[in-house]
Amino acid sequence: MTIDWQTLDREPGLSALYVHAATRRKITGTTLPDKGLRCWVDVDQQRLAAYRKVCGFADDGLLPPTYPHILAFALQMQLLTAKEFPFPLLGLIHLSNRIRVLRPMGAVSRARVSVQVQNLQAHAKGATFDLITTLDDQLGTLWEAESRMLCRGVKLEGEPVENEVAATLELIEVAHWKAPADIGRQYAKVSGDYNPIHLSAASAKLFGFPTAIAHGLWNKARTLAALAEQLPTANVEIAVQFHKPVRLPSEVTLLASAAASSGDLRLMGAGELEHMTGHWQPLT
């Protein structure tokens, strides 16, 4: 698919985009738009410091491997609330996330973010698509990501596709932490992601959840922060699948394989509840 790129001269404002998201509740088609959005963004050091604190990253002079998602959030919102996008943003389910860090992300003060959607596929509960995000500097691509999203109720022809990969390495407990009741609000302040299912039990119940749940990307970020000494800082791909949500408040345990160029991870809750599984490996 050829992408028709639109370059913005500034980041979109989130307030108007949330209004668009709140007023669009219907599926309007089954074809993804061929438009992509690009914009140069500045790295706000105060926001970056707040993100590190909320997610547990040390200040090592590098952007955390999940931070480009924060830089891209407003652009992603504009793409997913555009008239041409056929699915309502509220209600989309984040199934999996794959990031690739191509080069060390040190001394990044300004970068170009690009976002697009592609790969519409049938799913047992509706349809999935990939939200593709890239981060470039003057030398080329630094980082790229694929977030697989599910829209329930979409009817597509074809057999459902399943892409989960089971862990194959021996895992040991490496960390344990609490996800407090207000972590959804803390993460929203640094990310801009004020999805009601993460903010409070009252707002989550409006969307069918008995209590608020943690952001999937906070779970991934907190996990990668805990594994920082085991993971390469570049030339690495880190993929996770999200399973049962982390209800707030909760306590979780991180299991991982020994430090190596490739490895597996699993985030577990009480009663062997599996929240997230994943794998890291060198780029090929």
Side-chain angles (χ1 to χ4, degrees), residues 10-204:
R10 64 176 63 89
E11 289 184 77
L14 285 175
S15 298
L17 296 177
Y18 273 112
V19 172
H20 288 309
T23 55
R24 291 191 59 191
R25 297 297 181 91
K26 294 182 179 180
I27 297 168
T28 58
T30 55
T31 303
L32 296 178
D34 59 3
K35 182 177 74 173
L37 299 178
R38 286 175 170 164
C39 183
W40 284 89
V41 300
D42 295 314
V43 177
D44 183 307
Q45 294 300 318
Q46 290 186 333
R47 187 183 187 189
L48 174 57
Y51 177 85
R52 287 190 175 114
K53 183 177 180 180
V54 168
C55 298
F57 287 104
D59 184 357
D60 59 0
L62 302 173
L63 290 187
T66 48
Y67 193 70
H69 284 296
I70 307 304
L71 298 176
F73 182 70
L75 215 58
Q76 293 171 344
M77 280 279 290
Q78 177 146 327
L79 185 69
L80 299 180
T81 57
K83 183 178 180 180
E84 300 87 356
F85 186 71
F87 309 140
L89 176 59
L90 292 180
L92 292 180
I93 299 169
H94 198 172
L95 297 181
S96 65
N97 175 265
R98 182 187 309 272
I99 61 177
R100 302 178 184 92
V101 184
L102 283 71
R103 292 184 281 122
M105 295 193 292
V108 179
S109 60
R110 184 171 172 81
R112 188 182 70 172
V113 175
S114 304
V115 298
Q116 59 173 292
V117 289
Q118 62 182 36
N119 195 28
L120 186 64
Q121 295 184 336
H123 186 277
K125 296 181 180 179
T128 62
F129 66 92
D130 292 338
L131 174 61
I132 309 297
T133 307
T134 60
L135 191 75
D136 297 81
D137 63 7
Q138 299 289 354
L139 299 178
T141 303
L142 275 170
W143 176 100
E144 55 191 15
E146 301 168 7
S147 291
R148 180 149 296 175
M149 313 298 292
L150 168 67
C151 182
R152 295 178 183 269
V154 180
K155 303 297 183 182
L156 292 180
E157 296 182 0
E159 293 297 320
V161 177
E162 300 294 337
N163 297 295
E164 292 185 12
V165 178
T168 59
L169 303 175
E170 181 181 356
L171 306 182
I172 61 172
E173 181 177 336
V174 296
H176 182 89
W177 62 81
K178 294 182 179 180
D182 67 343
I183 195 60
R185 297 188 293 276
Q186 290 186 48
Y187 186 78
K189 289 179 181 179
V190 299
S191 68
D193 186 352
Y194 283 88
N195 188 323
I197 65 176
H198 304 303
L199 302 181
S200 70
S203 59

